[in-house]
Amino acid sequence: MSMSPGTRLGPYEIVAPLGAGGMGEVHRARDTRLNRDVAIKLIPAALAGHEQLRQRFEREAKAISSLNHPHICTLYDVGNAPAEAGTPERRQLHYLVMELLEGESLADRLTRGPLPLPEALRCGGQIASALDAAHRQGIIHRDLKPGNIMLTKSGAKLLDFGLAKHMESPAGAPGMTAAHTVATPLTTQGTIVGTFQYMAPEQLE
């Protein structure tokens, strides 16, 4: 699905497409209430009835909403709207409204060559800080890769918590070392979750 400029999702007016992936489409939009540009991520209409994608969307919203960090993309709002004509009557488009980041992904930047060492250290430190903040809230990203890191004027920003796993330390445990999963699994046996080339050994196991 490609949403035309001018399409309204509640108070948000679509301006232009920004990108698409396996779990959603991202559009530049205008918040007509606050008069600011935002990014809207939505499940494509063809997949709007896919229960696993809907659960992943909800998981991403909950993960981001619990985090407040300068190097994690900020979530502004969540919502849903009726799907386009011709889709099942009860089907809804689910969307997330996030801060609009101006810049380029680390993946795009790396196509021009490696980062200079000072820039690589700065970017790595910022993402490590973002991950530390998430881990302290019991959230494991599970899809860390250059395509999910944006380079902006204010520094690196971590994106896309759609595959995040929520963890909870048992009573009396001092940290994450003894953590256990409390979220309902979103995959079936034998399914690889994440991006194979960037998986940690323990995730592959």
Side-chain angles (χ1 to χ4, degrees):
M1 172 186 174
S2 179
M3 302 196 77
S4 303
T7 300
R8 293 291 290 264
L9 294 173
Y12 306 104
E13 182 175 332
I14 298 298
V15 175
L18 291 176
M23 285 182 56
E25 301 173 350
V26 182
H27 296 263
R28 187 186 192 106
R30 189 72 176 171
D31 184 339
T32 59
R33 296 170 304 181
L34 300 178
N35 197 32
R36 67 178 175 184
D37 289 336
V38 297
I40 288 187
K41 181 176 181 179
L42 58 89
I43 298 178
L47 301 175
H50 195 293
E51 182 63 17
Q52 279 195 347
L53 280 183
R54 188 188 63 77
Q55 289 183 37
R56 288 182 181 180
F57 235 60
E58 291 180 357
R59 171 172 291 196
E60 180 171 12
K62 291 176 181 178
I64 302 176
S65 66
S66 67
L67 300 172
N68 181 16
H69 191 276
H71 298 295
I72 295 177
C73 184
T74 302
L75 178 71
Y76 292 144
D77 195 8
V78 295
N80 58 72
E84 60 188 2
T87 57
E89 182 178 351
R90 294 184 180 179
R91 184 166 296 176
Q92 296 280 306
L93 291 177
H94 301 276
Y95 61 89
L96 308 179
V97 183
M98 299 175 287
E99 65 174 315
L100 181 66
L101 300 175
E102 302 287 357
E104 63 179 342
S105 72
L106 178 57
D108 289 341
R109 169 59 186 83
L110 291 175
T111 63
R112 304 196 301 274
L115 295 175
L117 182 57
E119 187 177 350
L121 291 174
R122 182 169 60 252
C123 177
Q126 292 169 348
I127 295 304
S129 176
L131 291 172
D132 177 64
H135 292 172
R136 290 175 184 275
Q137 293 296 320
I139 297 171
I140 308 299
H141 190 281
R142 294 208 301 172
D143 198 18
L144 182 63
K145 59 184 179 182
N148 284 338
I149 296 171
M150 280 288 290
L151 303 178
T152 73
K153 290 182 178 180
S154 61
K157 291 269 191 173
L158 182 58
L159 313 174
D160 201 343
F161 281 76
L163 296 180
K165 178 178 288 187
H166 293 255
M167 310 289 280
E168 183 177 280
S169 296
M176 292 292 293
T177 55
H180 65 280
T181 303
V182 295
T184 302
L186 294 183
T187 57
T188 57
Q189 184 175 2
T191 300
I192 293 178
V193 178
T195 304
F196 180 80
Q197 298 93 324
Y198 297 99
M199 286 185 180
E202 59 269 25
Q203 188 173 352
L204 286 171
E205 290 176 357

